[in-house]
Amino acid sequence: VIEESEAIPNEISAKDWGERKDIRDVFCITIDPADAKDFDDAISLTKDKNGNLILGVHIADVSHFVLPGSPIDKEAVLRGTSVYLVDRTIPMLPEKLSNDLCSLKPHVDRLAFSVIFTLTPTFEIIDQWFGKTVINSKRRFAYEEAQEVIETSKGDHVEELQLLNRIAKHFESIRFANGALRFESKEIRFRFDENKRPVESYVKSRFDAHLLIETFMLMANEAVAKYVKTLKKPELPFIYRSHDLPPQDKLIEFARFCKLMGYPINIDNEAQMRKSFNELMERTAYDPSAEILQQMAIRTMSKAVYTAFRSDHFGLAFGYYTHFTSPIRRYPDLLVHRLLQQYLHEPKPMMSESEIEMIAKHSSNMEQKAAEAERASTKYTLALMMEQHIGKVMDATITGITEWGIYAMATEYHCEGLIRMSDVKGDRFTYYEAEKKLVGQRTKRSYHLGDPITVSVKKTDPQKRIIDFNLLD
């Protein structure tokens, strides 16, 4: 694989362009994390002679470099996805491609696969175009930089960024009006000392700049799926990103807990369920004791999967959805590029539905393994960090109750630890499973999900990714 990647020329030349649309002169930027190396998406914005807005979503054209059945392709399909651990990335593609030739770096010509929307001045989509392009990014923004420009009206490309933000908010509001769920999962990041030991954990901030990029990627993914799904009958084989309704048993259990905690929800039908979930997110946004409900809500959902058989996505409230926007780090996106390119030129199958489903299932499995590895990496790093704080007294919130102990999230360090019942002295506690609570037989002291408590760090075991707390009140 490395040998094949090293044989790829280091520069993109005119002979690579083929019949691509040349839009190198168009205003085009990337917005990514400050430490990102693989820039797989760029945004462009111009106006046509009629005053309409031309919004482009440009995705690295990995399919130009990675041919079906090649050593790089075989390794990519095997890996399925890049894996993002706390201190390193295990890429799906060789770094020459992921961090260089396919990365949409500023001020260099790059090959892209683009979705270009034509919008009226009031942001109504009146046309769309799919195809291969040559682009040249004019500026690389970190999310924080783009956010500062949007908020302060100072810096590079103020007018364009603020207009992009208004467009994104328009389509975001439409998505939520259609019933998309407002889930926000927390992402823990770390700061390290000179010896690469973790010294601080924090929750990654999300700004309008994040939502701007997220909204445009969702628009492109939906547009590609809808185009292919409605292109020809019988339907052409394709790979979709599908999300099913929550399982009924989990929904009932979650509704029961919400009622216990004073936040009743309505799950009688899909429309009421969507409305209730979003209202719950809003009502609990600033209530630390109810944060557990937000996490439980996410766990109540079905897992999104890749499949050849269904095009809808419950969480996003889309009838058509796929993954087109990250082919550097996800194999299904690379497959979507190949299929879309085939169907744009000749709408006939290039793979069977069963062949696509086999890749879809494997990709879903590898995505799940990557997610487990990423969670384990975070837990390991948290346990390593808390080794330095044995005996430290902290505020915490109860996140789980079992017959063997209480799980609590330390507010300051965003780490979860276990208070073992064998370590709680002075009383014997009875566990009530239906209400997920513990009640002291002598003191009648009770502990419920969401309760604030005070703990100290008893011990940690990074290898087992375990943190033990003592209960202090």
Side-chain angles (χ1 to χ4, degrees):
V1 171
I2 298 299
E3 285 176 3
E4 185 187 23
S5 69
E6 291 303 324
I8 299 171
N10 293 324
E11 301 291 335
I12 294 168
S13 63
K15 66 181 174 61
D16 294 309
W17 294 7
E19 299 177 356
R20 293 171 184 269
K21 180 180 285 193
D22 185 354
I23 53 174
R24 289 174 297 163
D25 293 336
V26 169
F27 165 77
C28 182
I29 58 170
T30 61
I31 308 177
D32 291 280
D35 58 354
K37 295 178 181 176
D38 54 341
F39 314 135
D40 51 12
D41 56 79
I43 302 296
S44 67
L45 186 65
T46 55
K47 289 185 179 180
D48 67 12
K49 61 184 179 181
N50 299 316
N52 293 318
L53 298 165
I54 310 299
L55 171 68
V57 179
H58 311 287
I59 308 302
D61 186 9
V62 176
S63 62
H64 175 84
F65 300 97
V66 181
L67 303 180
S70 65
I72 295 176
D73 184 57
K74 289 178 180 177
E75 181 67 15
V77 74
L78 191 66
R79 295 186 179 208
T81 180
S82 295
V83 184
Y84 295 90
L85 305 181
V86 165
D87 62 343
R88 75 199 72 180
T89 298
I90 303 169
M92 182 182 78
L93 298 174
E95 289 192 8
K96 180 173 180 179
L97 291 177
S98 59
N99 292 355
D100 188 9
L101 283 175
C102 292
S103 187
L104 305 181
K105 296 179 176 182
H107 311 302
V108 291
D109 295 347
R110 283 292 181 257
L111 306 181
F113 206 148
S114 302
V115 180
I116 299 177
F117 300 99
T118 302
L119 313 176
T120 66
T122 55
F123 309 152
E124 178 189 355
I125 298 175
I126 55 174
D127 195 15
Q128 59 188 18
W129 178 88
F130 306 90
K132 299 287 186 90
T133 56
V134 185
I135 69 167
N136 189 298
S137 171
K138 303 299 182 279
R139 174 74 148 81
R140 183 239 163 153
F141 283 95
Y143 282 118
E144 294 80 3
E145 292 177 306
Q147 186 64 26
E148 187 174 352
V149 172
I150 291 169
E151 289 181 357
T152 66
S153 300
K154 296 177 181 177
D156 295 345
H157 306 300
V158 173
E159 184 180 341
E160 293 92 341
L161 278 171
Q162 291 186 335
L163 179 53
L164 284 167
N165 193 45
R166 290 197 298 275
I167 297 169
K169 284 188 175 298
H170 170 78
F171 286 102
E172 181 187 52
S173 67
I174 291 174
R175 191 168 79 250
F176 289 130
N178 289 337
L181 301 182
R182 294 179 181 270
F183 286 158
E184 292 281 350
S185 56
K186 287 187 175 180
E187 190 175 336
I188 305 298
R189 294 291 180 89
F190 297 90
R191 293 186 178 91
F192 297 85
D193 64 16
E194 62 275 8
N195 299 316
K196 296 187 177 180
R197 284 186 67 84
V199 293
E200 183 184 355
S201 60
Y202 61 96
V203 176
K204 177 185 171 184
S205 300
R206 278 173 60 79
F207 311 113
D208 281 352
H210 289 89
L211 300 176
L212 181 158
I213 293 298
E214 181 180 286
T215 295
F216 294 144
M217 297 307 112
L218 293 175
M219 287 172 62
N221 288 334
E222 182 192 24
V224 168
K226 190 171 185 178
Y227 172 78
V228 173
K229 185 77 171 176
T230 59
L231 183 60
K232 182 182 177 182
K233 300 293 182 182
E235 293 173 8
L236 292 162
F238 202 55
I239 183 168
Y240 299 97
R241 179 69 167 177
S242 185
H243 185 225
D244 205 352
L245 287 161
Q248 191 65 22
D249 58 337
K250 285 189 176 182
L251 263 181
I252 293 169
E253 180 80 358
F254 178 62
R256 192 169 62 80
F257 277 119
C258 288
K259 188 175 181 180
L260 276 173
M261 293 191 69
Y263 292 96
I265 62 171
N266 188 334
I267 58 170
D268 291 343
N269 57 60
E270 185 177 332
Q272 285 294 332
M273 177 176 56
R274 290 181 184 276
K275 187 170 183 288
S276 282
F277 268 86
N278 284 340
E279 287 176 350
L280 178 68
M281 295 303 106
E282 291 173 9
R283 291 167 62 199
T284 59
Y286 303 104
D287 182 356
S289 67
E291 190 174 312
I292 179 64
L293 285 180
Q294 298 185 34
Q295 300 308 311
M296 289 178 69
I298 293 171
R299 290 196 290 268
T300 299
M301 294 293 111
S302 299
K303 283 185 170 59
V305 296
Y306 296 106
T307 178
F309 301 129
R310 289 186 53 181
S311 66
D312 59 316
H313 196 291
F314 167 75
L316 295 171
F318 286 158
Y320 312 91
Y321 195 64
T322 190
H323 272 172
F324 167 80
T325 53
S326 293
I328 290 177
R329 62 184 179 89
R330 296 187 304 224
Y331 193 83
D333 302 54
L334 174 55
L335 180 56
V336 163
H337 281 215
R338 290 174 180 158
L339 293 169
L340 178 60
Q341 179 66 5
Q342 166 69 29
Y343 298 156
L344 286 169
H345 284 79
E346 189 175 0
K348 70 176 186 179
M350 62 179 285
M351 296 175 69
S352 69
E353 202 170 53
S354 60
E355 288 175 314
I356 292 174
E357 182 65 13
M358 189 182 303
I359 292 173
K361 283 187 174 180
H362 175 72
S363 297
S364 296
N365 289 336
M366 295 308 292
E367 176 189 40
Q368 184 62 31
K369 286 185 177 183
E372 290 168 2
E374 289 161 11
R375 283 193 296 270
S377 174
T378 298
K379 287 184 176 181
Y380 169 84
T381 309
L382 284 168
L384 193 64
M385 180 180 69
M386 296 313 290
E387 277 187 333
Q388 307 161 57
H389 299 290
I390 302 298
K392 184 177 177 67
V393 177
M394 303 178 295
D395 292 330
T397 302
I398 294 177
T399 54
I401 295 179
T402 67
E403 56 189 338
W404 62 83
I406 299 170
Y407 290 92
M409 180 69 68
T411 307
E412 182 180 355
Y413 293 99
H414 312 288
C415 64
E416 189 175 59
L418 173 63
I419 303 159
R420 301 177 191 274
M421 295 315 300
S422 57
D423 290 335
V424 180
K425 309 303 180 186
D427 204 349
R428 291 174 64 86
F429 286 83
T430 302
Y431 171 58
Y432 294 88
E433 184 174 9
E435 299 173 49
K436 291 286 192 216
K437 70 177 182 180
L438 290 164
V439 179
Q441 295 177 6
R442 182 177 61 81
T443 62
K444 303 304 179 185
R445 175 69 192 271
S446 62
Y447 294 99
H448 308 77
L449 288 173
D451 281 356
I453 56 174
T454 304
V455 301
S456 65
V457 182
K458 180 185 178 185
K459 65 178 181 180
T460 74
D461 187 334
Q463 293 300 325
K464 293 181 179 178
R465 304 183 291 282
I466 290 173
I467 301 170
D468 279 2
F469 290 153
N470 286 315
L471 180 63
L472 299 184
D473 60 304

